[in-house]
Amino acid sequence: MKLFVDTSVWSLALRRDAPPDQPAVVRLGDALTRGEQVFTTGLVLQELLQGFHGPRAAQSIGERFGALPFITPTRADHVEAANLRNTCRRRGVQVGTIDALLASLCITHELIMLSTDRDFIGIAESTPLVLWT
């Protein structure tokens, strides 16, 4: 199984205090322990670095993410993200620009989205996005 882990899960997993027993955090830990493919992209890395403070936190996040396969969006990915957002809007689902791009990358690269962000549920109901449950 190829997973794409959203910022919401990473931020829970990387907290200094013990990570909560949230199923998504447990699933991330299992995937990393088993050597499953866990993908990321620059927006997730940027959001994490913006949310954690201090050079040690930034260095730790950078080291952890350095081992992950990294997806760099192309021009076509941005076009598909806009199409996804427009499709969702026509169906009454509001989608942010970043969420549209992340969902589109998952669809294009056939990745399963691991997230605690409920906004992706609406996207998955309106598009081929596959969410881990």
Side-chain angles (χ1 to χ4, degrees), residues 5-96:
V5 181
D6 180 44
T7 308
S8 61
V9 177
W10 283 114
S11 64
L12 290 171
L14 294 174
R15 287 186 178 169
R16 274 188 269 172
D17 50 354
D21 271 348
Q22 289 220 0
V25 174
V26 173
R27 177 65 184 100
L28 172 59
D30 289 346
L32 293 171
T33 300
R34 293 181 187 153
E36 293 179 41
Q37 288 186 301
V38 175
F39 291 80
T40 195
T41 192
L43 289 169
V44 172
L45 177 58
Q46 180 180 340
E47 286 180 326
L48 284 171
L49 290 171
Q50 290 170 177
F52 286 85
H53 301 289
R56 285 207 335 261
Q59 180 180 353
S60 175
I61 291 168
E63 288 171 0
R64 291 171 191 237
F65 272 64
L68 300 177
F70 201 85
I71 299 170
T72 302
T74 64
R75 180 186 308 256
D77 290 322
H78 289 281
V79 170
E80 285 306 311
N83 291 336
L84 179 144
R85 191 167 188 239
N86 292 337
T87 296
C88 288
R89 185 178 49 211
R90 282 192 297 275
R91 295 180 180 167
V93 177
Q94 294 300 315
V95 178

